[in-house]
Amino acid sequence: MKPRICWIPLALTLVVPALGADRVSLRHQARSLQPGEVVLLSLEAEQPLSRAEVAAFDRTFPFYREGESGVWKSLLGIDLNLEPGSYTARVRVWDLEGNEN
């Protein structure tokens, strides 16, 4: 008996905060959006940040700053037991004074 490969469709909505008049851009990259995969998020803000995190799939994933470039990255793991459906990833950022935006 040959093993069967099953693709489970997921939809991921990304919610990004606004930093006053400053802009935040967010990109995602993934081989596919399905259980067992990893999604790379890249966040860039015009205003310097002290930290950032993303909440998705009932978990919180931190962003890490990539050098001095102002680009922040995070890896979201999609659990193997995740049911097919639509999910929201909510990004939170903090400015240098520690204020959440």
Side-chain angles (χ1 to χ4, degrees):
M1 176 182 239
K2 284 183 144 182
R4 294 178 56 172
I5 297 174
C6 180
W7 183 76
I8 301 174
L10 298 175
L12 184 64
T13 302
L14 301 170
V15 178
V16 183
L19 292 173
D22 296 319
R23 296 179 48 207
V24 175
S25 66
L26 183 69
R27 295 182 313 274
H28 76 283
Q29 181 180 350
R31 186 172 54 180
S32 67
L33 293 176
Q34 66 181 21
E37 293 292 337
V38 176
V39 179
L40 172 65
L41 296 180
S42 297
L43 179 139
E44 191 167 0
E46 291 178 358
Q47 174 181 328
L49 303 176
S50 63
R51 78 176 225 202
E53 66 185 26
V54 58
F57 312 122
D58 296 324
R59 295 180 51 201
T60 300
F61 302 88
F63 277 85
Y64 61 91
R65 188 171 54 191
E66 186 175 62
E68 298 298 319
S69 67
V71 176
W72 293 70
K73 301 216 174 191
S74 182
L75 293 172
L76 275 71
I78 303 175
D79 190 53
L80 286 170
N81 297 324
L82 193 67
E83 295 291 324
S86 295
Y87 296 88
T88 299
R90 183 169 302 275
V91 175
R92 297 170 59 196
V93 297
W94 287 262
D95 62 21
L96 292 179
E97 289 79 39
N99 300 312
E100 182 181 350
N101 292 286

